[in-house]
Amino acid sequence: MTVSTNPAIAGPAPAPAGGAVVGPRRTPARMALRRFRRNRLAVAGAAVLGLVVVLAVFAPLIARHSPNQVDLDALRQGPSGTHWFGTDSSGRDVFSRVVHAGRVSLLVGVSAALISVVIGTLLGAVAGLVGGVVDSAVMRLADIVLSFPTVIAIVVLAGVLGPSVTMLVIAIGATHWPQACRVVRGVALGLREQDYLHAARAGGAGPWWLVRKHIVPASLPPVAVAATLAVAQAVLLEATLSFLGLGVQPPQASWGNMLNDAQSLTLIESAPWMWLPPGIAIAVTVLSVNFVGDGLRDAGDPRQSKGAHR
């Protein structure tokens, strides 16, 4: 007697022993999300960063006062029901300025990080894949950029072009690409001798096709971590330059120029509400971005998957 092996004839497959329920298929994306969720600091950082983004995006709806509205009858007033974080030396509402300043800091941070990551990814992929003279030239250029103080470069650009948000974004993005470049170059060096890349070259694939289809996708996890670090550095650098008067110019609100308005010793002692909110906003935002970067690093590391499904 023969037993049919056709599933349509043999009927449904037997249920797993013990009545076990088969869970959802473990895709790489689900495993990465599970590893990220296991990092409690990363989850907390993502939640806080999400709150900062919501406050910044919906600042006109959340803030009850205009950030630039001057009230000479309410100079340096402490926190109250009318002004939650008090007022500054011009009678402007500190809470409104803090939430509106978040838009500037996030805009500069994300835009500058995007520029630096795009430049670094392209240059690193080409340098690692092509090698030789191209690799040496790109790496020496990266060494020159890294050896030149970023603040001095931006001070020179501010003197030539004038301080503005656009200048900050371009200057920070143009001076922070070597980090991403080195990361992607390392990935490209590890992949260019793989058999499937040799097979693709033999099939007629050009360098740009290899970069788009193989190098860039393989570089995404470490590049995502580098991007979060670039955002944190850009936020800090924007605050520093605005504090020095080389970034966002008054009356536009920025966390840096808000600290500049309260830099005197008298205001530090008598009006802490003028400098504490922007200072805390900078610290919380940068910490949250760094925590998210740590979570992304763990999520992109397959070695973390050992205990991810416990």
Side-chain angles (χ1 to χ4, degrees), residues 36-294:
F36 182 87
R37 291 170 59 184
R38 291 178 65 242
N39 190 325
R40 296 182 180 179
L41 286 178
V43 174
V48 173
L49 186 60
L51 177 61
V52 173
V53 171
V54 169
L55 289 174
V57 171
F58 298 100
L61 301 178
I62 296 173
R64 300 189 299 173
H65 302 275
S66 171
N68 301 324
Q69 181 180 355
V70 176
D71 186 0
L72 299 180
D73 295 329
L75 302 180
R76 300 178 186 173
Q77 289 186 354
S80 63
T82 304
H83 302 285
W84 295 345
F85 289 177
T87 59
D88 62 7
S89 300
S90 300
R92 297 172 296 193
D93 184 72
V94 174
F95 175 77
S96 298
R97 292 182 64 77
V98 167
V99 295
H100 279 83
R103 310 179 88 179
V104 176
S105 295
L106 291 177
L107 173 64
V108 172
V110 174
S111 301
L114 183 62
I115 291 175
S116 65
V117 166
V118 170
I119 295 175
T121 299
L122 292 178
L123 290 179
V126 172
L129 185 64
V130 176
V133 178
V134 175
D135 185 22
S136 298
V138 171
M139 288 299 101
R140 298 296 77 78
L141 179 61
D143 292 338
I144 293 173
V145 174
L146 287 174
S147 64
F148 201 78
T150 303
V151 175
I152 295 179
I154 297 178
V155 167
V156 173
L157 287 176
V160 174
L161 304 176
S164 65
V165 175
T166 304
M167 183 276 300
L168 281 178
V169 171
I170 295 175
I172 296 174
T175 54
H176 281 71
W177 59 265
Q179 290 84 350
C181 179
R182 289 186 169 185
V183 170
V184 178
R185 173 181 177 267
V187 174
L189 288 176
L191 292 180
R192 70 178 183 180
E193 299 302 328
Q194 297 293 324
D195 291 339
Y196 64 89
L197 253 69
H198 287 301
R201 289 192 187 98
W208 287 112
W209 190 91
L210 295 175
V211 168
R212 288 187 296 108
K213 296 297 184 180
H214 294 291
I215 306 299
V216 172
S219 305
L220 286 181
V223 165
V225 178
T228 57
L229 297 178
V231 170
Q233 292 174 354
V235 170
L236 280 176
L237 195 54
E238 181 274 323
T240 301
L241 294 170
S242 296
F243 177 80
L244 297 174
L246 300 172
V248 180
Q249 297 298 298
Q252 186 177 11
S254 165
W255 290 334
N257 62 30
M258 290 181 69
L259 292 174
N260 186 17
D261 292 339
Q263 65 176 321
S264 69
L265 183 61
T266 302
L267 291 179
I268 292 176
E269 295 178 348
S270 62
W273 59 84
M274 289 181 57
W275 58 270
L276 272 177
I280 292 174
I282 294 172
V284 168
T285 301
V286 172
L287 276 176
S288 300
V289 173
N290 286 332
F291 288 155
V292 171
D294 290 340

